[in-house]
Amino acid sequence: MKSLEVKSNYSLEHTLAGDKLSTLTYPWEALPHIKDWILEIGKNLNKEEYNEVSENVWIHKTAKVFESAYIAGPAIIGPKTEVRQCAFIRGNALVGAECVIGNSTELKNVIIFDNVQVPHYNYVGDSVLGYKSHMGAGSITSNVKSDKTLVHVKSGEIDIDTGLKKFGAMLGDCVEVGCNSVLNPGTVIGSNSNIYPLSPVRGFVPANSIYKTGGVIVPKAL
């Protein structure tokens, strides 16, 4: 289904993992490889631009990381990105340029494209967040089903078994997620779409859509 594919939803020039993502069909196929990709990319970063501040943790010299933030490796923090107070980066996190990782935000096994904001009390696990996507305060990804079975991506009659037990959300470029929304396992949101606040989202939201209260999806006015 082309509308779910990497090339339909992501500007790959806006992440250090762009070349690797370009070899995949669906973005969630990246999840098992994020750790290895970061280790490979990190060891080839320009030492004039990045400091390896601890084992397998590379931070660009223009990034701002508050003392109370915690970053476990492997992780890469890109140029001019701000990692704010008490952020908790648990490892396997590739964060792009000019991002905001906010106070008390938690990241785990993620690719965060350039200019992404997860600025206030967000949990983002086993997810890919596209260029200029934004998660409102308190919005989170739920990355494991309550019955612990493998995650499927569903859209109408389409049902794709991902083979993954842990799968948060795939956000395309320029997605806006409203405050206190929950993106359930297997959520894929197409580029340039908006999610209303307080929404429990599951399945596929097409590009250029608005996900409204009660799960109603309407196209954006062009």
Side-chain angles (χ1 to χ4, degrees):
M1 186 175 180
K2 291 189 179 298
S3 55
L4 291 167
E5 293 180 4
V6 169
K7 62 185 179 182
S8 297
N9 293 293
Y10 295 93
S11 301
L12 298 182
E13 68 272 21
H14 289 292
T15 174
L16 293 174
D19 289 344
K20 299 180 183 302
L21 285 166
S22 70
T23 67
L24 306 180
T25 301
Y26 299 116
W28 57 84
E29 295 171 349
L31 297 179
H33 306 293
I34 292 175
K35 178 179 180 179
D36 291 337
W37 288 357
I38 294 172
L39 290 170
E40 179 184 339
I41 293 167
K43 294 183 188 305
N44 291 290
L45 290 171
N46 187 337
K47 294 182 180 179
E48 297 296 318
E49 298 179 2
Y50 285 83
N51 292 320
E52 187 174 3
V53 298
S54 60
E55 186 177 9
N56 298 325
V57 175
W58 295 273
I59 299 178
H60 196 275
K61 292 181 179 180
T62 62
K64 181 176 182 180
V65 179
F66 284 79
E67 289 185 6
S68 59
Y70 174 85
I71 305 176
I76 296 172
I77 307 298
K80 298 182 180 179
T81 283
E82 188 171 292
V83 182
R84 293 177 177 167
Q85 295 91 335
C86 300
F88 180 29
I89 299 177
R90 290 167 49 191
N92 300 347
L94 174 54
V95 181
E98 298 186 63
C99 296
V100 175
I101 311 302
N103 57 301
S104 304
T105 289
E106 181 178 349
L107 304 181
K108 190 270 290 185
N109 202 49
V110 293
I111 296 175
I112 307 289
F113 279 55
D114 299 340
N115 297 96
V116 170
Q117 295 190 353
V118 281
H120 309 288
Y121 309 106
N122 305 108
Y123 172 67
V124 186
D126 300 287
S127 299
V128 178
L129 275 55
Y131 176 58
K132 287 190 175 180
S133 59
H134 170 256
M135 293 182 66
S139 61
I140 63 170
T141 64
S142 173
N143 60 335
V144 180
K145 294 172 65 177
S146 59
D147 61 6
K148 308 300 188 291
T149 58
L150 298 180
V151 176
H152 288 230
V153 174
K154 298 181 180 181
S155 174
E157 296 181 357
I158 302 296
D159 185 335
I160 302 174
D161 182 354
T162 68
L164 300 169
K165 184 177 178 181
K166 293 187 176 182
F167 178 143
M170 303 292 120
L171 272 57
D173 293 346
C174 302
V175 166
E176 289 281 342
V177 178
C179 296
N180 289 319
S181 292
V182 177
L183 309 180
N184 287 288
T187 294
V188 180
I189 303 175
S191 58
N192 302 301
S193 288
N194 291 56
I195 307 299
Y196 268 24
L198 300 173
S199 294
V201 185
R202 185 183 302 277
F204 176 53
V205 178
N208 301 301
S209 297
I210 301 173
Y211 187 100
K212 295 189 173 186
T213 303
V216 175
I217 301 175
V218 300
K220 278 186 174 180
L222 299 179

